[in-house]
Amino acid sequence: HKIHGSCCSTTMPSHGHHIALRLCHHRATVSQPHPLTRLSPPDPKVYSAAGNCLMAHVNGPDCMALAWMHSCGVRQMLGYTKPTWFGFLGWGAHRYLFANPGRLTFTECYFASMQALLLRLEEVQADVRRIGSAGGGGSSGGGCGSKGESGGATDDAELYRRGGAGLGRAAATNPMGEVEHRVRGLLFDREATVFYGDPAWVARLAKSQQDGDYYTMDLRPIVGPSSDTNASAASTTEALFEVVVCAIRTCTWTPTCPDDKVTLPGRPPLLMLDGSRKWTNVRVHQESQDQPRLVLTPLFAMLPLTGQLQAGHSVTHRFTATVETRA
């Protein structure tokens, strides 16, 4: 089912009827074939509008985003400020949210999805520069309201139509062409997706009582002066570390399309770090040329795996680094 949205209303199917959610005197209300019902629940919540066009667009006091936060108890929200037609970033946050419920906060899921997007942009940076110089993508040209191939203005509705409206249509059949469709989509998602609320507020999914996590990911020292990489005293040491991703259930890392809503995990595994360590002189011990490149920062480690990893199997990356631990 499709859920249609705008900055001031949204409509979704439910049990054969269409429920309209719209604004009434700065408050969100529900309208079915029944009278209006005002929504004002007191319990705090998060709202992910990954597939609701324009839901995060704040164009004045009478908009859905402000109504959700003002009168519906929404503490954090992610969504698109334009008609969404690619969906990699928004739906990617859901992949991180559902693969290992409770492991990452809602904020961290959005952050992880953004890092996965930026990694993909880096992999196609030559195409990004080419399309950017021709007026494509993001706020520096292209995306919505940019100049298209014909040199004329390309408005939101046209890019929405040409992009397949987020339906996951095969890129090879898209008039943009496969590479340009992907690059423009990634640039669009990077610029048109926003996160509202206090990022330090912690919201997690409850642990599943039936279905377990898909994988575990650990970073640990192997050889070094200290086995405690979170030591309270400031120090600088060189040590050998390993990053291990172990599949608890069969993991499919490659999504079928940018806005894939089914594949799990569907995005590269990411481990949040506490930011207390600064990595320098990183030397990865690669075993083969096709081994994925480890991404390592003070805040996270990411291993861009593709394809599948069968349950019970693991992938290990070892690296030597100088680590500065801040007190």
Side-chain angles (χ1 to χ4, degrees):
H1 296 295
K2 284 201 66 178
I3 299 177
H4 303 281
S6 73
C7 56
C8 297
S9 66
T10 187
T11 305
M12 61 193 78
S14 176
H15 304 293
H17 300 289
H18 277 80
I19 297 176
L21 186 62
R22 62 184 180 86
L23 291 178
C24 182
H25 303 295
H26 309 293
R27 293 183 178 271
T29 59
V30 173
S31 174
Q32 300 181 17
H34 309 291
L36 291 177
T37 301
R38 176 170 289 182
L39 298 179
S40 56
D43 54 310
K45 56 183 65 66
V46 300
Y47 178 31
S48 177
N52 300 110
C53 297
L54 291 163
M55 191 57 60
H57 180 46
V58 177
N59 64 344
D62 292 323
C63 65
M64 292 299 294
L66 297 183
W68 279 115
M69 291 181 277
H70 177 263
S71 62
C72 297
V74 170
R75 299 284 187 87
Q76 292 175 338
M77 173 181 174
L78 74 83
Y80 285 85
T81 60
K82 297 283 187 178
T84 171
W85 59 270
F86 196 67
F88 183 87
L89 180 52
W91 290 105
H94 288 197
R95 301 302 88 208
Y96 283 107
L97 198 65
F98 298 134
N100 291 342
R103 186 173 68 89
L104 296 178
T105 67
F106 187 54
T107 304
E108 290 169 343
C109 289
Y110 174 78
F111 175 83
S113 187
M114 176 65 82
Q115 301 314 310
L117 182 149
L118 294 176
L119 181 63
R120 286 208 169 190
L121 277 177
E122 185 177 313
E123 292 169 349
V124 293
Q125 56 183 315
D127 296 306
V128 172
R129 288 193 295 268
R130 176 180 58 81
I131 292 173
S133 64
S139 60
S140 59
C144 290
S146 68
K147 292 183 179 180
E149 291 79 8
S150 63
T154 306
D155 59 16
D156 293 351
E158 175 65 7
L159 269 178
Y160 183 81
R161 180 187 68 78
R162 293 167 61 202
L167 299 178
R169 183 171 60 179
T173 65
N174 194 284
M176 289 186 189
E178 182 177 359
V179 173
E180 185 163 355
H181 174 263
R182 182 172 66 252
V183 172
R184 283 183 183 272
L186 292 170
L187 290 170
F188 171 83
D189 269 30
R190 185 189 66 181
E191 303 300 331
T193 313
V194 295
F195 187 94
Y196 295 135
D198 180 2
W201 187 69
V202 176
R204 303 177 189 270
L205 283 183
K207 286 284 187 180
S208 173
Q209 300 300 318
Q210 298 177 339
D211 301 322
D213 292 350
Y214 271 81
Y215 65 92
T216 61
M217 185 173 182
D218 297 295
L219 188 157
R220 50 188 178 237
I222 303 174
V223 178
S226 171
S227 61
D228 181 9
T229 57
N230 285 308
S232 57
S235 62
T236 300
T237 58
E238 182 172 272
L240 176 65
F241 297 85
E242 67 178 7
V243 173
V244 181
V245 176
C246 181
I248 302 173
R249 304 162 66 181
T250 296
C251 296
T252 301
W253 306 108
T254 307
T256 58
C257 57
D259 59 347
D260 188 338
K261 305 168 185 64
V262 179
T263 303
L264 287 172
R267 293 294 186 273
L270 180 140
L271 175 68
M272 295 297 300
L273 304 176
D274 60 13
S276 64
R277 299 185 296 274
K278 179 181 178 181
W279 309 92
T280 57
N281 302 320
V282 177
R283 301 183 299 280
V284 178
H285 301 197
Q286 279 195 306
E287 298 178 358
S288 63
Q289 292 294 327
D290 57 352
Q291 183 174 332
R293 177 173 60 90
L294 173 66
V295 179
L296 185 64
T297 78
L299 291 179
F300 69 93
M302 176 183 282
L303 200 56
L305 299 176
T306 57
Q308 279 194 336
L309 185 63
Q310 297 300 315
H313 290 226
S314 62
V315 176
T316 301
H317 266 42
R318 292 189 172 185
F319 65 95
T320 304
T322 301
V323 186
E324 179 184 339
T325 305
R326 294 184 283 272

